[in-house]
Amino acid sequence: MRLTLAFVSVAAATFALSSPAAAEEGMWTFDAVPTDAIKAAYGWAPDQKWLDHTRAAAVRLTGGCSASFVSNEGLILTNHHCVVGCLQNLSSADSDLVAGGFNAADRARELKCPGQQAEVVTAITDVTGSIRAAIGSLTGEALVKARDARIAEIESAECPDRDTTRCQVVTLFGGGQYKLYKYRKYSDVRIAWAPEFQAAFFGGDPDNFNFPRYAMDAAFLRAYENGKPAATPAHLKWNPRAPQEGEITFVVGNPGSTQRLLTETQRAFQRTERLPLTLLLLSEYRGRLIASMDESPEKAREGADELFGIENSFKALSGQFRALNDPAFTAQMAAAEAELREKVRGNAEIGDPWSEIDAAMAKRRDTYLDSVFLERGPASFSTLAGYAQTLVRAAEERAKPNSERLPGFTDSALPLTEKRLTDPVPTYPWLEELAVAFWASKAREYLGTDNDDIKALLGKESPEALAKRLVTGTRLADPAYRQQLWDGGAAAIAASDDPMIRFFARLDPRSREIKAAFDRDYDAPVTAAQARLAKARFAAYGDALYPDATFTLRLSYGQVKGWTERGKPVPAMTRIGGTYDRATGQLPYKLAEAFVTAESRIDKNGVYDFVTTNDIIGGNSGSPVIARDGSVIGTAFDGNIHSLGGNFGYDGTLNRTVAVSTAAIQQALDVIWPAPALAAELKGGKRR
């Protein structure tokens, strides 16, 4: 979901941080859908057959988005902004697929998206007992190692076929539950259709995270298997009708992360440490990037996706920061925590987990800057540096038994790690130098010139000189070289004279020390405390609770419904003709070329975008909006400005999901960027 800055007070919100969820609140796991609550609110609820079919049609994209199968031949509906990275990677100076869009004339011309993988949940199993038994009475780093080892063992045992399956154990309620998610994966994902960028992001930043909206933020991918379109009999029926005011809607997808269960101390850390620092870094990096992009049209094109992501992150985090500085909002959160503490006061089994988290947070503050600037180093900003860190660390981790490896390098994770490392993706030397130099300058600024780590890593070089030496000297832009180092393992890494590899060979031991300290001083005590906090919530409020988002499959329910903004009603949907009324001829309100040429053929009264009361967050981008009959009537791509507080809570009177309707997408396929074969496939026909 594209998140943007909003000047919004959340004082009126009624957040259920610890108590049972209010109607329409919640991102529910598929093994705990509150059908009784849905039926009480709407007089109807989906049965198990409906849920099973929908789960089998829902897709997770490894780029951080959601999607759904909409034909029996692997066709995937998602958002344009979920494929813009793919389009950027496939573009060149002579062929800008971001600006011009992409429309494969036939399947032979559908293009593979580097690094992309589509995943479908096939089973969810509770493994809490097994992991708690492995943890036992352990504390500190031993707790983390035992937990991670058991997770690695479960994932490896449950998914021996790593070509087509992936297993992932997910921590829920901060350690109160552990669930094993088993996925059917498709590692060959290709772009089939995408509109012009100016249509997908019409209105730009001024309209982003606002409504009314006039955005064609939709695209189609296709999953392939053995070089052929994948057979996907479980798919959603395409339903290009307009949404109806008040109808029940379901959004099924993978919300990335929420923090609705944080303690007061953890929220204070977000407000005073993490968010201010992150916003400062993003703001300065954005400025440097824009200045470089202004140097030439080619740099403007090459840096566009990077800038798009940075601006999106900045706006999202700005909204979180404003929410945590709203006195009325924070007072409500404090009151919710006080209520929970009172309800479980004197329960010896629960004890005082809040104080344990307080102590862990105090230690976290002391080591936070080391984690920010040294644990990943320039890999936080640079693609090439990210390759180097992965290769150096993988060489050591892959030599260990599976149960002793760090997360990301276990048997279950290695196939995706290798794919993302070795798939061909263009890199741009000027952008890589900018990224490495920015990291070096900020690390030196925040840690200090006299810091031993900074002296060891920078030596006598300036940040700019270090960046130039590492980027101009590395061969890591070549996927064949990356594959060679991956295949060669520790011996190849030790023998490599690549300056980026050598840099991370020096940094990695210190990076591991920082992670070990984090595991010992924060992760372990907080995991133990949060497990008891989960017990406290269940004891106080029963099991009608949903866990924080974890980029795993969830279902939310709601209805098509507008809201009242400063005393005036905001309608639930917009019409395509409103695009022309909104257009000014200047960016960001300049019409896409196809909107100009096809104007006489477009049904301007057709529904374009619409809003619902579904509870979503970033990661839900591309999620299908599903009607009661199980058909797809839209794809979610954003929230309104009030949903910024959704990271910490939900207010059904104001929070809204923003979606592009299938009715509008159908017009796009029929008359704006005609794709007759795709349109026929969606209607159930065969595509040649």
Side-chain angles (χ1 to χ4, degrees):
M1 186 170 64
R2 283 291 174 189
L3 309 175
T4 58
L5 176 64
F7 295 88
V8 53
S9 170
V10 290
T14 53
F15 299 109
L17 297 172
S18 302
S19 56
E24 299 179 345
E25 175 191 347
M27 304 170 192
W28 301 92
T29 59
F30 261 71
D31 56 346
V33 174
T35 52
D36 289 345
I38 298 172
K39 188 170 185 179
Y42 290 97
W44 174 88
D47 59 18
Q48 195 60 47
K49 182 180 179 181
W50 191 103
L51 293 171
D52 289 345
H53 178 80
T54 301
R55 184 199 67 191
V59 176
R60 181 171 76 170
L61 300 174
T62 54
C65 280
S66 300
S68 57
F69 285 124
V70 287
S71 87
N72 60 7
E73 295 179 282
L75 191 63
I76 297 171
L77 171 67
T78 189
N79 291 156
H80 181 279
H81 77 254
C82 292
V83 306
V84 71
C86 170
L87 296 171
Q88 178 83 16
N89 290 334
L90 297 173
S91 294
S92 66
D94 298 324
S95 177
D96 188 345
L97 303 184
V98 177
F102 180 79
N103 192 347
D106 52 47
R107 289 179 182 174
R109 280 176 269 196
E110 294 175 347
L111 301 177
K112 185 178 292 189
C113 289
Q116 187 57 266
Q117 182 167 289
E119 301 172 340
V120 178
V121 173
T122 58
I124 304 172
T125 307
D126 193 322
V127 294
T128 306
S130 177
I131 294 175
R132 282 184 178 168
I135 292 174
S137 60
L138 295 173
T139 60
E141 191 176 357
L143 181 155
V144 175
K145 286 185 175 180
R147 179 198 65 196
D148 292 351
R150 186 65 191 121
I151 287 173
E153 291 166 355
I154 292 170
E155 291 175 345
S156 181
E158 293 297 324
C159 286
D161 175 14
R162 296 185 189 94
D163 290 333
T164 60
T165 62
R166 178 186 179 194
C167 279
Q168 182 181 23
V169 172
V170 179
T171 302
L172 302 175
F173 296 103
Q177 290 179 355
Y178 295 89
K179 299 288 181 72
L180 170 65
Y181 280 68
K182 184 177 288 188
Y183 294 91
R184 175 70 166 85
K185 70 179 186 180
Y186 302 88
S187 298
D188 183 352
V189 179
R190 307 183 192 183
I191 182 72
W193 181 91
E196 297 166 62
F197 179 82
Q198 187 52 32
F201 201 48
F202 180 81
D205 283 343
D207 278 6
N208 204 8
F209 231 118
N210 275 298
F211 197 82
R213 292 291 293 277
Y214 303 88
M216 189 65 71
D217 199 348
F220 290 95
L221 298 166
R222 191 183 302 278
Y224 278 73
E225 202 166 30
N226 300 319
K228 299 179 180 179
T232 50
H235 61 272
L236 300 179
K237 180 182 178 183
W238 181 255
N239 192 353
R241 68 164 174 83
Q244 303 299 309
E245 185 100 22
E247 71 170 299
I248 186 172
T249 52
F250 299 88
V251 172
V252 175
N254 301 272
S257 175
T258 54
Q259 297 169 307
R260 298 181 181 181
L261 301 181
L262 293 184
T263 67
E264 282 291 283
T265 303
Q266 289 172 310
R267 281 191 290 271
F269 176 79
Q270 295 287 319
R271 183 177 62 252
T272 63
E273 302 290 336
R274 176 180 170 267
L275 288 171
L277 175 58
T278 306
L279 287 168
L280 284 170
L281 293 174
L282 287 172
S283 181
E284 183 172 344
Y285 188 47
R286 174 182 179 270
R288 294 193 187 194
L289 179 59
I290 289 173
S292 294
M293 290 170 64
D294 284 345
E295 293 173 1
S296 71
E298 189 61 4
K299 283 187 176 181
R301 182 189 68 80
E302 292 170 347
D305 188 42
E306 180 81 355
L307 179 62
F308 196 38
I310 289 170
E311 291 185 331
N312 184 63
S313 297
F314 180 83
K315 291 172 182 178
L317 296 175
S318 295
Q320 292 180 23
F321 184 63
R322 290 178 181 277
L324 288 182
N325 281 280
D326 184 315
F329 175 63
T330 54
Q332 284 198 331
M333 292 189 290
E337 181 172 305
E339 177 186 287
L340 177 60
R341 295 179 81 153
E342 184 61 32
K343 283 181 176 291
V344 298
R345 187 181 302 278
N347 188 322
E349 184 181 6
I350 293 170
D352 186 8
W354 292 273
S355 294
E356 294 168 24
I357 290 176
D358 291 348
M361 285 306 312
K363 292 185 177 180
R364 179 64 174 149
R365 288 177 182 272
D366 291 339
T367 60
Y368 181 59
L369 289 180
D370 287 344
S371 295
V372 170
F373 292 107
L374 297 176
E375 189 170 356
R376 296 199 69 232
S380 299
F381 298 93
S382 160
T383 299
L384 295 177
Y387 290 150
Q389 185 189 48
T390 299
L391 286 163
V392 169
R393 184 153 290 188
E396 182 173 340
E397 293 302 308
R398 291 165 66 201
K400 299 176 182 178
N402 180 54
S403 61
E404 297 178 15
R405 297 179 199 160
L406 292 174
F409 299 96
T410 58
D411 287 344
S412 63
L414 280 179
L416 183 56
T417 299
E418 180 179 4
K419 173 180 174 58
R420 301 185 79 168
L421 175 73
T422 58
D423 272 5
V425 172
T427 56
Y428 310 108
W430 70 270
L431 185 55
E432 294 297 315
E433 285 191 36
L434 178 73
V436 175
F438 179 73
W439 165 79
S441 67
K442 295 294 103 178
R444 185 175 64 179
E445 176 182 331
Y446 281 91
L447 297 179
T449 302
D450 295 325
N451 179 275
D452 289 339
D453 294 311
I454 294 301
K455 289 193 289 186
L457 293 171
L458 268 67
K460 299 292 185 180
E461 291 181 291
S462 68
E464 293 74 22
L466 173 70
K468 190 170 188 63
R469 179 173 65 83
L470 294 183
V471 173
T472 59
T474 188
R475 295 170 55 194
L476 291 174
D478 180 2
Y481 184 60
R482 301 196 298 269
Q483 186 73 63
Q484 176 186 328
L485 292 177
W486 177 270
D487 293 340
I493 294 297
S496 173
D497 61 356
D498 187 288
M500 195 75 82
I501 293 292
R502 299 270 51 88
F503 180 89
F504 275 93
R506 291 195 305 275
L507 176 60
D508 194 56
R510 180 68 175 114
S511 176
R512 290 174 181 272
E513 287 179 3
I514 293 169
K515 185 185 185 308
F518 173 83
D519 290 347
R520 179 187 66 243
D521 298 332
Y522 184 81
D523 191 8
V526 170
T527 294
Q530 286 179 326
R532 298 205 309 284
L533 278 175
K535 286 184 179 180
R537 293 186 178 96
F538 293 140
Y541 302 113
D543 59 2
L545 303 173
Y546 61 92
D548 266 324
T550 53
F551 196 48
T552 50
L553 190 64
R554 304 293 180 91
L555 176 145
S556 71
Y557 64 95
Q559 61 179 306
V560 178
K561 185 179 180 181
W563 76 98
T564 299
E565 184 77 31
R566 288 178 291 183
K568 295 182 179 180
V570 178
M573 55 196 78
T574 61
R575 307 285 170 173
I576 292 181
T579 313
Y580 297 90
D581 298 333
R582 207 172 188 80
T584 65
Q586 304 295 322
L587 293 176
Y589 296 106
K590 184 178 180 180
L591 290 171
E593 289 186 15
F595 263 77
V596 175
T597 58
E599 181 175 3
S600 64
R601 302 188 302 276
I602 291 174
D603 175 10
K604 294 184 178 180
N605 196 45
V607 171
Y608 202 167
D609 297 333
F610 64 102
V611 293
T612 74
T613 60
N614 294 86
D615 187 5
I616 68 169
I617 200 72
N620 273 117
S621 290
S623 296
V625 180
I626 303 173
R628 172 174 171 167
D629 64 1
S631 64
V632 58
I633 60 170
T635 177
F637 68 91
D638 209 348
N640 67 353
I641 58 175
H642 304 287
S643 65
L644 280 170
N647 187 59
F648 305 106
Y650 172 82
D651 177 11
T653 63
L654 294 172
N655 286 29
R656 291 295 182 271
T657 290
V658 182
V660 57
S661 72
T662 50
I665 300 171
Q666 188 69 53
Q667 277 216 61
L669 295 173
D670 289 341
V671 301
I672 307 176
W673 301 273
L678 268 185
E681 182 178 356
L682 288 168
K683 293 176 183 177
K686 291 279 186 178
R687 186 186 186 204
R688 295 180 181 177

